Amino acid sequence: LFIVMASHCPDYKEIYRFDHFTELWEHYGYGGDMQELRLQEFGRVKGITYLDHAGTTLFPESQIKGFYQDIARNIYGNPHSLNPSSKLTHDTVERVRYRILEHFNTSPEEYTVIFTAGSTAALRLVADSFPWSPPAAEEPGSSFCYLTDNHTSVVGIRGAAAKLGATTLPVLPQHVETRARDAPWATGGDVCHLFCYPAQSNFSGRKYPLSYVKGIQGGRLYPACDRQGQWMVLLDAASFVSCSSLDLQECPADFIPISFYKIFGFPTGLGALLVRNRAAVLLRKGYFGGGTAAAYLAEEDYFVPASNVSSRFEDGTISFLDIISLHHGFDSLYRITGSMFKIQMHTFGLARYTYIHLSSLLHCNKQPVAQIYCENDFQDPSRQGAIINFNLLNSHGSVVGYSLVDRLASLFNIHVRTGCFCNTGACQIFLGISDQNIKHNLEAGHVCGDNIDLVDGRPTGSVRVSFGYMTTFEDCQNFLSFVVNCFVDKPLRMHEERLTHLKTADSSPRSPTSERHNAPDLTPSFTSNLNGEEGVIKNGQIKDSQTLTNIFIYPIKSCAAFEVSEWPLGNRGLQYDRTWMVVNENGVCLSQKREPRLCLIQPSISLASNMLHIQAPGMMSISMPLEDPLEMKTSQSKVCGDRVQTVDCGDEVASWFSGFLGKPCHLIRQSPESTRDMKKGLGQGMTSLSLVNEAQYLLINRASVALLQECISSRKINSIFGLGTFDALQLIKRFRANLVISGACPFEEDDWSNLKIGEMLFQVACRCARCHMICIDPETGSRTQEPLKSLTDFKKGKVSCSSATFMLSVGNSVHPDMPSI
């Protein structure tokens, strides 16, 4: 009968008008029509008011479509194998790790991403591997301290800590600052302590100061100020990062557990532990699974863990397809919203509007309709998240059980969350439930997660509504109208004084500094004296019958060569050589091994006009400046295991490459301020590299190529592989050398350690072990097994799969018998 009556109540949506809201809050939406966004990306939510984003947010359709297209186009193998599909998986997963760290404004130099089954699994990892120590005769043992307003999964660490002798100390939120001391204990020592607190309460949405991280680490705040030792901080960010930006430069917590479905809605069952590298070295691990060992013996207790932190703690094969899907989650999130700051302001505005109106509702006898559990008035998004926790009251002031509210909300297709939300500590504080009440409720049959909402007239839990980046004003209208229609004794009254609070909010907060663009510096020039011209190398420089015959530049890694007669040298080799590269939609480098048609893309450089020109068969040519605008998006990529800072070259050129290659891809360039050094053992001193694999220059000897061509001909397979028309230059192009010389004996260069070209001194780093790219015809993109097979047979017993090319760096160490060219 109540439900039927409620359905015939007048529509109270007119009370909550959109134009009033937008006049008072200018951060609604992301520059477009929110209804259109809902229709395009979240059409499945039509007719549903979804307000349980703290439980899990909703994924956009574009994220799933992008992920499907990705796995439909690519073969991703087990990353523990070494075949091409496995290498693609490894590179893509590493790119996702970098993107996660970039999202939190940090780098692999500071933090490591360890993938887990969720934030609870991440917390369990810390519990099992933290260096707990029992009390000793001369010093106390470890302490595990946590705010009482913490998720069950955090409090559960105390079981593992207690088994290893650590003491447990629950801390009331107000005591962190009120019990702080002016003269704290000195930090440091062998005993490690752990303090855990949430960046945002999953119960009330309260945001705790991120400054607590440094305060605890520095021993200034309670309980660190009372106990000597090395204090580490675990910041539970699972709830916080769903709608807020976390800057780990500002709050360098030692451990940060997160769950990705809270941010993206998909995938579920995947989380991560972000570990500060200085803390990772202290973690101890007992069990070891596949992929975590550098070496072990089956018949002896001998085990050496993997040196890489993430490999050491990721037992077995990671959920690599789910991890790869995160890339599409980031893409969709930033494309739709622009930034986490915009998400924070959008969701906070809706939560605040709902909070003010809900708290202003009065029954006909002027009794409040709702009791809201909050320690602030939603005035500051840095102190309050997009969560409202409450119980509804009848006109006599008694609590309406949350199960009734939940059932009625479901009938109106409104999705909320009820109970204690796995946060008993906060539930006790806000609802006034004593420890004895908890035990009494259990004896009365109430357990966590059931629908027993009242015991002896006292509430056992509450109702929570939470907002996501796709929540609309209409969702707030629907929820408030539901409360008015179903739970208010009419006529409705409003608390006018509370409503005036809507006009006092600051709607012009500043965006965090972590979202500002950094202006890159220009690349420094290389200065050297060569034939009186600064940093220039020329064809035709001859000495002792050896001549530099060709100079090739490869502006875009794995694309065609650009031949020049003279060219300036930079601090990374030939200027603009391998400065750009093509990456797939996940930011992984594309090479001719994966995409042979790259060899058909012909870049050229005009130093006079400062432009890079790009051509390809069947495509209109495209040009772009050699130096990128300062506003371009930066990211991290990987080349031969090295991290490099890169700059995206924009959507126009990305569309051009995608159209030619038939798959989504981008053109990126090495950031001017990015530094990458030659690996140790390949040369003397520190040599800066571009996006080359291992050395600044590749050199090839025409005499060696001629002998190889002879070997190919002697195999009598020219007609089979179409090699009969090969001339020396075509074969040379397959080896993708920068410098081509003539006049030396075949493979004489294998024994060189230094050489001189004109007046420029070069140090030979090593012989270059060429890959299968030499089997790709640079003029057609077709693949054969020649000349690699001939070369392998020819060099058997000397250098397996070595080629006629070898690597150089500019050096000052001169061999007395070095060749001059």
Side-chain angles (χ1 to χ4, degrees), residues 257-275:
I258 57 174
S259 285
F260 292 106
Y261 69 91
K262 304 275 189 181
I263 306 173
F264 306 122
F266 177 88
T268 58
L270 179 67
L273 180 68
L274 277 58
V275 185

Side-chain angles (χ1 to χ4, degrees), residues 11 69 87 128 136 143 200 223-224 227 242 265 300 332 338 360 407 502 525 593 603 636 672 722 776 780 803-804:
D11 186 2
Q69 291 168 359
K87 181 67 164 55
D128 292 340
S143 297
Q200 175 178 291
R227 305 187 181 202
S242 62
E300 181 182 329
S332 294
S360 301
R407 289 197 299 271
L502 274 174
S525 60
K593 289 183 287 184
Q636 284 191 332
I776 297 170
T780 66
S803 79

